[in-house]
Amino acid sequence: MAEKFYITTPIYYPSNKLTLGNCYTTVICDAITRYNKMLGSDVFYLTGTDEHGQKIAGKAKDAGKTEMEYLNEIIADAKDLWKLLNINYDRFIRTTDEDHVKVAQHVFTELYNKGYIYKSGYKGKYCVPCESFWTESQLIDGKCPDCGRPVIDQEEETYFFKLSQFSDKLLKLYQDNPEFLQPQSRVNEMVNNFIKPGLSDLCVSRTSVKWGIPVPFDTNHTIYVWIDALTNYLTGIGYLSDDKSFKKWWPADVHIIGKEIVRFHAIIWPAMLMALDLPLPKKVFGHGWLLFGGDKLSKSKNVDSVECVDPRLLAPRYSADAVRYILLREIPFGSDGNYSTETFLTRINSDLANNYGNLVSRTLSMLKKYNASVVPTARVENETSKDLQTIVKLEAENAKRHMQNLDCSKALASIFAIFDKANKYIEVTEPYRLAKDESKKAELDSVLRNLLEAIRIGTIHLSAFLPDVSTKVLDILGVEAKLTDDNFYALKDGKVLEPCPILFPRLDIPKELEELAKLNKQD
Ligand code: MSP
């Protein structure tokens, strides 16, 4: 039976339209999903939206809409965006979904019945217009960090989750399972910044927030943030509604999240699951941020004026594959990395148009010219061809290994090393020179065949990352995207190959930058 693999993104706040930053995690999870499927795994990919809370209610009110009207528009846009970027999720969960409301309420009640939740009071700094509590340290110059207005001392009755009881269990979890939280530096952060100084109990309900899931046994309260948000990972695969599915998929193989919410996934979430006697996720991966001019594209900041960062504009103009490529390739996985439009356009030209696109079109046009587009059978073994085969095989294995570590950026570097090598192989073998000498026909055919095989193998790996362009090329070659064979000579001898359309037109970068600046202003 195929191995199961359950992967999740965070559920995003739909208080505004989703951003390129949100696309980062979603595209990574999509590439990992596709790659694992090619390896023969049975994969479930969950993404969705985190829809409750004061901020959403306020936004809806400002827009003169009901919460659901406001949310439905943003969710429709998010789903369109995922379609535009070829995201192949299995479920888009909304925390307003009926089955999720039941799960969040059930979990809250369970934790209460087991003695992990108790009622007490919450004291804090309260901003009346924003209806938000803040801690002393969150205030900016003693004022509300959201609106800058003065805050008052206020006490509210709330329920608490006994997080403080879990310190030792969490330390043991990290010790016994070095795989649980990655990269390793995040473990040190959790231990030194949160667990060692002592965990406080967690506020899990509010009476002042009306747009939320009611606490079932005390309906003056709504469930506050994390019990509602984190349990989406259970609902998404049928907890309480489809036992068979839940048993099949849980525990999650990996939660991929941004580093700012590692604390919730590596401390609160395992503590809640331990309290519920449910198995823990196998891995939490906290990736770094995509930075824009050194800044995180945060949900509250508008950096569109600095860079053109709207994927809804970039994908139709440069292709979904190009947007996916920059997100998957540019930032070392686990670290922060800078995004700039110029890097994006430069990568399209250098990697996609020159390295890959040109290799494919050059090879197919030589095949047409020198062998009537027929896949040659010739196999002349020599040092150069052996060297090509060795590197292709090695880099294909490297790509697989990097993907076991979820590292799309390094996997893509390995795949592009295959194309680099194939381009160098053309330079070294000089097929145009061989074509001038009748006696070298077998050698020429063999060069063409080897190029086609390198393209086939590299493109199969590439298809998890850039599905559109890979499908085009694999269709021409007449092969399926299966990672079963990284050896040469799997193409069908004698097959006639169609010509290749231009895969990535070369861009005039200064002109594009100018155009994008204009489009940005119109936005
Ligand atoms: N709703 C919570 C998550 C609950 S999960 C049970 C939330 N939502 S969010 O809308 O703020 O999304 C944050 C996530 O979006 C990050 O963790 C990350 O996955 C992604 N990113 C948003 N901006 C990003 C960057 N600039 N760079 C990388 N990822 C970013 O937090």
Side-chain angles (χ1 to χ4, degrees):
M1 213 175 63
E3 221 175 290
K4 75 92 187 168
F5 191 82
Y6 175 30
I7 180 167
T8 67
T9 69
I11 43 170
Y12 305 114
Y13 289 128
S15 47
N16 287 306
K17 281 188 176 180
L18 301 193
T19 62
L20 196 59
N22 302 127
C23 297
Y24 179 67
T25 320
T26 316
V27 166
I28 286 176
C29 289
D30 185 70
I32 297 173
T33 295
R34 287 172 184 268
Y35 203 86
N36 276 284
K37 279 187 182 164
M38 278 203 290
L39 284 169
S41 294
D42 194 4
V43 187
F44 195 100
Y45 174 13
L46 181 72
T47 190
T49 40
D50 189 357
E51 305 193 358
H52 293 115
Q54 208 49 47
K55 188 154 184 183
I56 303 276
K59 285 269 183 176
K61 199 170 161 211
D62 291 348
K65 293 182 179 146
T66 64
E67 286 88 353
M68 276 319 243
E69 279 167 353
Y70 182 79
L71 286 165
N72 286 345
E73 276 175 29
I74 301 220
I75 273 56
D77 177 77
K79 287 186 175 171
D80 283 348
L81 178 59
W82 297 155
K83 206 185 250 171
L84 186 66
L85 292 179
N86 279 317
I87 306 297
N88 241 324
Y89 55 78
D90 292 283
R91 177 170 174 185
F92 187 108
I93 190 170
R94 301 180 55 173
T95 51
T96 48
D97 287 343
E98 226 174 277
D99 57 348
H100 180 69
V101 172
K102 280 196 191 129
V103 167
Q105 290 188 321
H106 170 86
V107 165
F108 198 100
T109 309
E110 270 294 284
L111 293 173
Y112 182 75
N113 290 342
K114 287 181 163 206
Y116 287 107
I117 284 181
Y118 63 93
K119 201 183 212 173
S120 178
Y122 180 85
K123 266 197 211 130
K125 302 286 175 190
Y126 190 69
C127 174
V128 181
C130 293
E131 297 177 50
S132 298
F133 270 100
W134 302 104
T135 59
E136 194 80 52
S137 63
Q138 286 172 320
L139 300 179
I140 299 175
D141 298 331
K143 303 225 169 88
C144 170
D146 259 6
C147 71
R149 282 176 280 207
V151 289
I152 55 169
D153 286 312
Q154 182 131 323
E155 189 162 356
E156 183 182 335
E157 180 189 84
T158 57
Y159 285 93
F160 281 88
F161 171 62
K162 293 182 179 168
L163 187 63
S164 56
Q165 291 191 351
F166 289 87
S167 302
D168 291 343
K169 286 187 184 139
L170 290 167
L171 287 175
K172 186 164 161 33
L173 166 68
Y174 303 155
Q175 238 156 36
D176 295 351
N177 303 279
E179 289 286 301
F180 174 74
L181 176 56
Q182 286 185 350
Q184 176 64 29
S185 56
R186 311 264 182 248
V187 178
N188 306 337
E189 270 169 47
M190 292 303 113
V191 173
N192 297 331
N193 300 352
F194 303 109
I195 301 184
K196 280 201 179 142
L199 293 172
S200 312
D201 287 349
L202 180 76
C203 170
V204 288
S205 83
R206 282 290 155 92
T207 52
S208 57
V209 179
K210 297 295 171 210
W211 179 243
I213 300 176
V215 170
F217 51 86
D218 192 350
T219 49
N220 266 342
H221 289 252
T222 53
I223 299 175
Y224 184 60
V225 190
W226 292 103
I227 291 188
D228 176 358
L230 290 161
T231 50
N232 91 85
Y233 300 132
L234 301 177
T235 314
I237 42 154
Y239 186 57
L240 302 186
S241 65
D242 183 345
D243 234 28
K244 201 170 148 218
S245 159
F246 183 70
K247 281 208 181 97
K248 172 175 175 184
W249 296 109
W250 192 255
D253 290 81
V254 63
H255 296 309
I256 305 229
I257 54 170
K259 63 180 182 180
E260 79 290 357
I261 51 173
V262 166
R263 177 157 71 100
F264 307 104
H265 286 78
I267 293 181
I268 298 174
W269 185 221
M272 269 168 57
L273 290 167
M274 285 176 196
L276 291 167
D277 279 325
L278 282 172
L280 306 185
K282 291 185 195 152
K283 193 187 299 268
V284 171
F285 194 105
H287 63 65
W289 289 336
L290 196 60
L291 299 172
F292 303 85
D295 206 7
K296 179 178 180 257
L297 177 68
S298 90
K299 43 219 168 233
S300 49
K301 274 187 204 144
N302 178 10
V303 297
D304 280 16
S305 53
V306 183
E307 290 284 353
C308 181
V309 291
D310 187 353
R312 297 158 193 84
L313 194 149
L314 298 176
R317 196 175 171 93
Y318 303 108
S319 81
D321 281 344
V323 175
R324 290 172 64 103
Y325 184 70
I326 190 76
L327 295 176
L328 292 164
R329 177 72 196 267
E330 191 60 27
I331 295 138
F333 198 42
S335 318
D336 292 350
N338 270 309
Y339 174 90
S340 82
T341 313
E342 202 165 345
T343 320
F344 171 57
L345 301 174
T346 308
R347 281 258 186 212
I348 295 179
N349 272 357
S350 64
D351 299 11
L352 302 182
N354 280 359
N355 186 333
Y356 181 63
N358 197 27
L359 169 70
V360 177
S361 60
R362 250 208 306 180
T363 302
L364 286 171
S365 64
M366 287 193 290
L367 187 73
K368 185 172 174 204
K369 199 162 161 200
Y370 305 139
N371 208 40
S373 294
V374 175
V375 174
T377 47
R379 292 165 199 192
V380 176
E381 294 274 320
N382 54 29
E383 280 310 307
T384 346
S385 71
K386 270 192 212 142
D387 180 43
L388 176 72
Q389 290 195 30
T390 310
I391 297 292
V392 169
K393 211 173 157 64
L394 177 78
E395 294 296 356
E397 271 163 23
N398 284 343
K400 263 189 208 155
R401 188 167 46 81
H402 293 313
M403 287 309 280
Q404 269 163 9
N405 299 330
L406 310 169
D407 195 331
C408 296
S409 171
K410 282 199 181 140
L412 273 171
S414 295
I415 296 166
F416 274 75
I418 293 179
F419 304 135
D420 265 337
K421 185 71 192 175
N423 278 316
K424 291 210 180 85
Y425 180 72
I426 299 181
E427 279 167 35
V428 175
T429 53
E430 299 184 295
Y432 20 87
R433 190 182 47 80
L434 298 174
K436 290 188 187 132
D437 184 345
E438 253 320 296
S439 71
K440 299 274 170 65
K441 178 69 173 127
E443 218 179 299
L444 171 65
D445 280 358
S446 178
V447 165
L448 295 173
R449 177 66 187 245
N450 286 334
L451 284 169
L452 290 170
E453 296 290 343
I455 291 171
R456 174 183 64 80
I457 294 166
T459 306
I460 289 177
H461 285 262
L462 190 67
S463 64
F465 307 89
L466 313 187
D468 281 340
V469 74
S470 308
T471 304
K472 266 187 217 160
V473 174
L474 292 178
D475 277 355
I476 292 173
L477 298 178
V479 291
E480 277 182 60
K482 283 198 180 138
L483 285 178
T484 39
D485 188 9
D486 289 334
N487 292 318
F488 271 40
Y489 308 123
L491 282 167
K492 207 161 161 233
D493 290 338
K495 185 177 167 56
V496 178
L497 304 187
E498 296 292 319
C500 179
I502 291 179
L503 299 176
F504 295 95
R506 267 192 72 80
L507 303 171
D508 176 342
I509 294 179
K511 192 168 141 251
E512 287 303 318
L513 285 170
E514 224 172 88
E515 293 281 317
L516 288 174
K518 270 190 226 152
L519 288 171
N520 245 356
K521 281 201 188 105
Q522 285 165 14
D523 228 10

